[in-house]
């Protein structure tokens, strides 16, 4: 899978692209990441990419011409399934479900906004989706693009162990079960006996029930849309859950 990131500050991505899972995924050829400096498509001698907003107001707005040229260059001429995303605080919330959908594309073009945002005509003509990583305003879209890159990359085949994304938080619509490691005893607290039993079927049941219980305790809203089996619903009812799954 390929990620084309359009930004005014490509140097910001040096750390995330050269460490940990993302670094290994690039080295193994599972993902390809290309950074594009939007200023490279500015045509004036000052390489300006922003201007004052029509109608007045504070701040600057990113100009349409350099953005359009950068987006079109990044998209290329190939027939790959490509999606162009704008990182914007008023976009659709970025969730695990959205990430799973994005992972089905061959190429994602991520546009990092700056200043007061991008000229609306770019949003109307060249952006396929607008994505928000939270109900807050970042200085720029770079940090949001890093989050999208990280989350979607983990879903690309070969990047992680096959079972990992399913068992992590939000896999199957539930939060992750509790995790323990050595030592067996720590500050008066012990690892649950079940995890030391060697009974893999019983451990799987224990973990699934703890996913349900943790989701009920921390994020009960997720249960309304999670794909719950009748046994899951019965177990949640035994814990006092009064809700019920809704049609998605």
């Amino acid at each position: 899978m390929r990620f084309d990131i359009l930004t005014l500050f490509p140097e910001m991505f040096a750390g995330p692209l050269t460490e940990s899972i993302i670094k290994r995924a690039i080295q193994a050829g599972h993902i390809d990441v290309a950074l594009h400096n939007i200023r490279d498509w500015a045509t004036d001698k000052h390489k300006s990419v922003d201007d004052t907003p029509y109608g007045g107001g504070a701040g600057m707005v990113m100009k349409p011409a350099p953005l359009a040229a950068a987006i079109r260059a990044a998209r290329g001429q190939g027939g790959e399934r490509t999606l162009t995303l704008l990182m914007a605080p008023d976009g659709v919330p970025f969730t695990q479900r959205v990430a799973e959908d994005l992972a089905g594309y061959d190429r994602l073009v991520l546009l990092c906004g700056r200043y007061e945002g991008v000229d609306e005509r770019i949003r109307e003509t060249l952006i396929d989706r607008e994505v928000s990583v939270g109900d807050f305003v970042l200085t720029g879209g770079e940090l949001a693009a890093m989050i999208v890159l990280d989350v979607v990359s983990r879903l690309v085949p070969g990047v992680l162990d096959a079972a990992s994304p399913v068992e992590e938080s939000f896999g199957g619509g539930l939060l992750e079960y509790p995790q323990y490691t050595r030592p067996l005893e720590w500050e008066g607290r012990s690892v649950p006996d079940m995890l030391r039993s060697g009974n893999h079927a019983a451990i799987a049941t224990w973990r699934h029930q703890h996913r349900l219980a943790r989701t009920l305790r921390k994020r009960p809203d997720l249960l309304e849309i999670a794909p719950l089996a009748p046994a899951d619903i019965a177990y949640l009812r035994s814990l006092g859950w009064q809700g019920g799954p809704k049609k998605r």
Side-chain angles (χ1 to χ4, degrees), residues 70-85:
I71 292 170
R72 287 167 177 151
R75 283 178 173 176
Q77 302 299 317
E80 299 170 314
R81 295 189 66 219
T82 300
L83 201 67
T84 302
L85 308 178

Side-chain angles (χ1 to χ4, degrees), residues 174-189:
L174 302 173
L175 300 183
E176 190 174 10
Y177 50 76
Q179 298 277 12
Y180 298 87
T181 187
R182 294 179 178 84
L184 180 62
E185 301 281 345
W186 178 78
E187 295 191 356
R189 293 177 176 270

Side-chain angles (χ1 to χ4, degrees), residues 4-21:
D4 288 274
I5 300 175
L6 311 182
T7 172
L8 295 177
F9 301 96
E11 297 82 4
M12 289 182 64
F13 292 84
L17 296 181
T18 57
E19 300 291 342
S20 189
I21 290 173

